[in-house]
Each structure stands twice: as structure tokens, then as C-alpha cells.
DNA sequence: ATATTTTAGTTAAAGGTGCAACTATTCGTT
DNA sequence: AACGAATAGTTGCACCTTTAACTAAAATAT
């Protein structure tokens, strides 16, 4: 059974957004020499108070596969923005730690990212009748919920070895129970 | 100036959706051996009543670059789903035409696409308080509008050589004036 | 008419990404 | 202890995408 016309219109636009937004973000961040995904990694590390994170945890938080992360981290390591440090307590694990230069670049990329968010998304949302940000929050939550059922990882996350994840020191919002992988950078 | 917390939550979810949805669609359509983008191409051709389209027009409608389209069309051509035919009236131009097999595959991919849309997106929207589809339509419109200003192509489209685009025979919706490239598959 | 510029499209090179295979380490059994 | 299973990560391979360079044809100007 085919989709209704309003449904097709909505999906066509969603599809266009899916195609255009990531590229637009990458272009903006290109000015400081990082991709949007790389910025996400720097950001995740910068916000983890310990300044480091396990590869698999990082992959989970950023909705990335481990091979992808591994390669990007290698690239960031070559640029000395991130350093790989073997985990002392678990011989299998590797921690990615932000270097001083990495923190500097993150400062820049964060500013650029914020302005990109404003210009590419928030500005448009501001033209909506109601509270555009709230609408986007609810809408993405609705979609991500059904997506997570479909999604390999996520489903929910019970045992996270790192304590900082469970007991969040930063005053977060009234945090709706968004499945872990979907919500990620919530803090 | 940093983003507010609600803004960060909304953007984080948007970001997650941007990362996860395309992959999810590709996985579903993989069952008939086409990517989501390939389906979009087959769909565009199937919906153009003449059954063919100029490469550049196709690229425009699908928000793709010409090199990307060229390679994908080559791949589809090898699988005999699409055929390249030089344009008789303009020696530079090439028309992509849907083959019989291409139409068959499109039949399948369309069904799969529709169910993917329902399961990955519409189902979630249905859990929203109001009209989820309308909200998505408005929200994507808002975002795409500001995006288009930023966007190389689009901006607006005056002279489309093909008449079928201007005078749409299919009863479309009350067609809001969405910038061309963003709205694309509106019919 | 002819030279220049634009337009349409393809191709080459570089880099990113996913899947599957592989190594190394830890955990669980016995 | 020692074996097999699970976990963490990396790497090889295939494919896709982007940017830049390139070819060919049409439009424009001289």
C-alpha cells in the first residue's frame, strides 16, 4: 500500500535534510580542519571530566562502529589531537585521551559548531509558530525510539562500567528516558 | 556563546537521527539489492512520465553531485536497471532511462521503501500528541529553508526545460513554495 | 566564421565507511 | 591450572563520495 501524499511530502523533505545537513556541518567545521564526526569525538572527550574514554564507550556514545572510530582516532592521533593510551586495568582496552592541542582545537570547533547549529537549524526553527526546539526534541525522540528497536546496539543500557555516565554531575535537563545511543551528548 | 541545554539536547538527537536513519534505510532496501539513493533515482525516473531524465536534472532533484550520480548510474547500467541514451537535441546531454527490469526492481524497492518509512519514521510520529506528519513537514521545511540559503545549488529555480515539472499533471498537495532541491520528490 | 566561454558529463585520486577476518586479552568452566 | 567462549580493538577489502582535472558540445562574442 503506497504512502499518502502528505506522508510523501514529509518524507521527501526529511530525506533532503538527511542528505544536506551533514554535508553542511562538515563544510562549516572544515574551517578548523575537523569533520563533524571528529568534532563530536573531541567534544565527547572534552566533556568527560576524566578527559579520556574507552574506544568502545566513545563508539557507543557517538553512534559509530568500532572500525570507523578506530580509523578516525588514528587520523586524529597523527594530528596529535588525541592520544591512545592502553588501559592499565584491562589489557584489551584502549583509552582515547585529549591532548593539549586537541583541547585547543576543540575550543575552536565548538564555537564553529555552535554557530553552525544556530545558522543551519535553530534559525529555521525560530520561524515556526510554536517552540521549534521543543518540537524538534519531541519529534526526534519519537523517531529514534522506533529506530532503536531496529538498531543493533542500544536497546537500553544497563551496565556501564564507567561511573561518570550513570551518576551525572552536571545538572542535566529533566532528561526524558531517551535510549542511550540515540541521545548521546546529552550533557 | 554556548548553546542552551534544551538546544543541545535537540541537536544531539537530530545528530543521532542524521547518523542512524540513512543506514537504517539502506539496510532495509538491501533486501532488493539497491541502496536508498539508487531507489531514489529509480523512483525519480519512474515518476517522470516520459520515463527518462537528464543527468543534471536527476542530480538536482536528488540533491546529489554530478560525479556521484554518474558513478551510480554506471553501476545501475551494469545491472541493466537504467540505460544511458544520448540526448538527440543536445549533444552534451545524456538521458537516463528506466529499463523494463529497472521498473520491476523499482516496484519492489518502492514497496520496501514504503514499509521502511512506516516502520522507521511514521510509526514513531504516530506516538506524538498532534499530527506528527504535519509537524515533520513544517519542521523540515523550516530547516531546509535556512539551509538553502547556505546551499550552493537551489536558491530557487526559474527555467526548467522539461515542461512536466512546471505543469504538474498529478494532483499535488497545496504545495507550499519549498525551494526546489529541498522538496524534490514532492509529487 | 572563428575564438572564447559555459555547460554537460566523465574520470582520476584521495579519503571515508562498513563488513568480515584477525589478534590479543579476559572471563567462565571444569 | 587450562581450555573454550566472549570482549576490545585493529586491519584488509570492497565500495562510495568528494574535489579537481579533463573532454566534448553548445552558446556567445568578436
Amino acid at each position: 500500500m503506497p504512502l499518502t501524499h502528505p506522508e510523501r511530502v514529509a518524507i521527501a523533505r526529511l530525506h533532503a535534510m538527511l542528505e544536506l545537513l551533514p554535508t553542511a556541518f562538515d563544510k562549516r567545521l572544515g574551517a578548523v580542519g575537523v569533520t563533524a564526526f571528529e568534532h563530536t569525538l573531541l567534544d565527547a572527550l572534552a566533556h568527560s571530566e576524566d578527559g579520556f574514554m574507552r574506544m568502545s564507550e566513545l563508539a557507543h556514545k557517538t553512534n559509530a562502529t568500532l572500525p570507523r572510530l578506530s580509523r578516525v582516532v588514528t587520523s586524529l592521533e597523527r594530528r596529535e589531537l588525541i592520544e591512545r593510551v592502553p588501559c592499565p586495568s584491562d589489557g584489551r582496552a584502549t583509552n582515547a585521551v585529549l591532548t593539549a592541542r586537541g583541547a585547543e582545537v576543540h575550543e575552536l570547533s565548538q564555537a564553529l559548531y555552535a554557530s553552525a547549529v544556530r545558522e543551519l537549524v535553530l534559525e529555521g526553527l525560530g520561524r515556526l509558530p510554536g517552540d521549534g526546539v521543543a518540537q524538534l526534541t519531541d519529534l526526534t525522540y519519537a523517531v529514534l525510539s522506533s529506530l532503536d528497536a531496529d538498531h543493533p546496539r542500544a536497546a537500553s543500557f544497563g551496565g556501564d562500567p564507567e561511573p561518570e555516565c550513570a551518576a551525572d554531575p552536571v545538572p542535566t535537563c529533566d532528561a526524558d528516558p531517551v535510549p542511550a545511543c540515540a541521545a548521546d551528548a546529552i550533557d
Side-chain angles (χ1 to χ4, degrees), chain A residues 42-65:
Chain A
L42 298 181
D43 203 57
L45 287 176
H47 283 61
S48 82
E49 69 241 61
D50 297 328
F52 66 86
M53 234 187 225
R54 287 264 256 276
M55 292 292 283
S56 37
E57 191 190 351
L58 204 45
H60 177 79
K61 277 222 174 183
T62 59
N63 297 298
T65 61

Side-chain angles (χ1 to χ4, degrees), chain A residues 70-118:
Chain A
S70 181
R71 293 215 152 86
V72 175
V73 165
T74 299
S75 162
L76 289 168
E77 210 174 9
R78 268 197 289 267
R79 287 180 272 162
E80 317 213 19
L81 304 181
I82 275 185
E83 206 172 346
R84 260 190 255 245
V85 176
C87 181
S89 62
D90 187 336
R92 298 167 294 182
T94 304
N95 284 313
V97 321
L98 204 57
T99 65
R101 281 198 54 201
E104 286 171 26
V105 169
H106 172 251
E107 218 61 42
L108 301 175
S109 67
Q110 190 171 37
L112 222 48
Y113 183 75
S115 69
V117 164
R118 265 190 271 273

Side-chain angles (χ1 to χ4, degrees), chain A residues 60-187:
Chain A
H60 177 79
K61 277 222 174 183
T62 59
N63 297 298
T65 61
L66 214 33
R68 177 187 182 190
L69 178 64
S70 181
R71 293 215 152 86
V72 175
V73 165
T74 299
S75 162
L76 289 168
E77 210 174 9
R78 268 197 289 267
R79 287 180 272 162
E80 317 213 19
L81 304 181
I82 275 185
E83 206 172 346
R84 260 190 255 245
V85 176
C87 181
S89 62
D90 187 336
R92 298 167 294 182
T94 304
N95 284 313
V97 321
L98 204 57
T99 65
R101 281 198 54 201
E104 286 171 26
V105 169
H106 172 251
E107 218 61 42
L108 301 175
S109 67
Q110 190 171 37
L112 222 48
Y113 183 75
S115 69
V117 164
R118 265 190 271 273
E119 290 169 33
L120 299 175
V121 180
L122 298 180
E123 185 185 308
L125 295 184
R127 282 193 297 276
L128 285 175
D131 179 349
V133 173
Q135 285 180 40
L136 177 59
T137 305
D138 295 344
L139 211 147
T140 47
Y141 177 72
V143 172
L144 287 171
S145 308
S146 31
L147 205 52
D148 275 323
D150 188 77
H151 195 46
R153 53 181 170 291
S156 81
F157 70 132
D160 216 332
E162 312 319 322
E164 85 247 21
C165 208
D168 205 327
V170 186
T172 57
C173 79
D174 44 327
D176 338 59
V178 184
C181 82
D184 71 291
I186 277 273
D187 71 9

